Amino acid sequence: MARSGSVAVVGVGHTRYGKLPEYDAYELGFWALKEALADSCLRFEDIDGLIVNRIPDYQRFCEIAGLNPSYVSITPGQGRFCGICIATGAALIRDGLATIVALVYGNNGRSGGDRYGGASDTYGSGGSGQWFPYGMTSPGAFHAMMARRHMELYGTTADQLGTVSKTFRDHAALNPSAVMRNPFTLADYHASRYICEPLRLLDYCLINDGGVALILTSGERARDLAQPPVHVRGCGMATALAASSFPPDDFWREPMRKAAATSFRAAGVSRNDMSALMIYDNFTPTVLFSLEGFGYCGEGESGSFAAEGHLALGARYPTNTSGGHLSESYMQGWALNLEAVLQIRGTCGERQVKDCAFAHYMAAAPVVTSIIYGRDPS
Amino acid sequence: MRLLPTVDGPDQPFWRALRHGEVRVQRCGNCGACRFPATRFCPQCRSETSEWHAVAPTGIIETWCIFHRAYFDGLDVPYTVIQVRLDCGVRLFSNPVGVEAAALRIGLPVEAVFEDITSDVTLLKFKPRKAHQ
């Protein structure tokens, strides 16, 4: 059972997004952390818990930042770890292992020349080398396989995938931080080249440099800080890691159901209470799978649900109001959590969701994570 | 230079069998579950005993995708990769032979095609199984 005591995000920070060749991953993380501390009016010395993500080494990061946290941990540079870091950070505070937890992400993948496919591909468990002679490689191809199956089973269409991408680009057009801000039409979507059919360039997330940091503390401590606290109301996780070298038969529905149930139970709210959704959008089909798995629409109905316009600003479930990974920035979940916080603070300007009381971050992958943010502590 | 599989690693019995037109996968000596690629322990029952067992070279297509971006030298795009589930339950990624991508379907029955690509390496590909077999 969940322990008592609320946890809140009290500081958020991010770098510029795009091509930042003069910064390495440590420096991008540091930059974001400095912004997050300034946002919360806390000092580096106040941090007693630190989890770094995608940054290569925690010791070096602490040397660079001059930090001696009581608790420290490091997590691999996979997007699925974003939600794990947030849930772990909240647990550290509830358990008394730390009082001010900094979660720091730095990604220089664009300038570092990261490739997501080919002989260096280590997607998933990294055990995919035996399929290279057949040309099978890349997270994109894995999701293209899943998208094809969804199309065959449920009649999901390219137009429906295109609507997801177009909607997020429309949102990015209202976000000064977004890398890609020029709106496009469905005709433009169809004209974009295939990378791995049925997925086109516009179904793929960006690859860019940047960093994000979040500061967590207890709801009680949060009351004295600079920003209105945004409460981490519920976290849920579940995995489908056994036999995960191949796409799951159920599009990860079962772990998503579990993670959703755990997080909603902890938060004491339901889907109907959500004002905005932040869905891990490495590829457009992942958004569809998430809508089904987390229960926002029925099995096989996500394509038409998206095409009906429910994900747009002003509609029932404004989704990825920042533009997401597809158009804002490939910050592997972190910038979506930052956006959830800003939406609840009410500081999103032109892209602000009206009266945003709850936001739901979700990520569908072999590790599923679900986080419910709320304006009120309970 | 075409990327070749490591045929002398833990999966050596699989690659050797392909040379003779056979599909062999690891079968658990305790629970009988088949698996590939090789692991020391059975992920189903965690037993350490296993043998390389010849299985039926037949299965079905579960899904597919078409690569338009080239990731490997020696493989011209576009090319199609299929996901096959063998009758024994083992899953593989492979390439289709003698069938257009437009004719692929979920559940399409397929059978093995053994394609020699070097003097040491045979790849396991699949073609549609004829009806009434």
Side-chain angles (χ1 to χ4, degrees), chain A residues 203-223:
Chain A
D203 293 303
Y204 277 61
C205 63
L206 310 174
I207 298 177
N208 59 266
D209 305 320
V212 176
L214 308 180
I215 312 288
L216 307 180
T217 191
S218 66
E220 199 182 349
R221 179 82 190 266
R223 285 202 291 267

Side-chain angles (χ1 to χ4, degrees), chain A residues 168-249:
Chain A
F168 296 174
R169 179 62 62 86
D170 290 343
H171 295 169
L174 305 175
N175 176 6
S177 300
V179 173
M180 302 296 277
R181 300 188 63 194
N182 292 331
F184 59 80
T185 64
L186 275 184
D188 296 330
Y189 169 82
H190 281 284
S192 83
R193 67 179 189 274
Y194 280 125
I195 304 295
C196 191
E197 192 179 340
L199 301 186
R200 296 171 162 85
L201 181 66
L202 291 173
D203 293 303
Y204 277 61
C205 63
L206 310 174
I207 298 177
N208 59 266
D209 305 320
V212 176
L214 308 180
I215 312 288
L216 307 180
T217 191
S218 66
E220 199 182 349
R221 179 82 190 266
R223 285 202 291 267
D224 307 327
L225 297 175
Q227 297 291 348
V230 171
H231 297 272
V232 180
R233 290 284 300 268
C235 300
M237 295 189 279
T239 72
L241 291 165
S244 57
S245 292
F246 291 87
D249 282 341

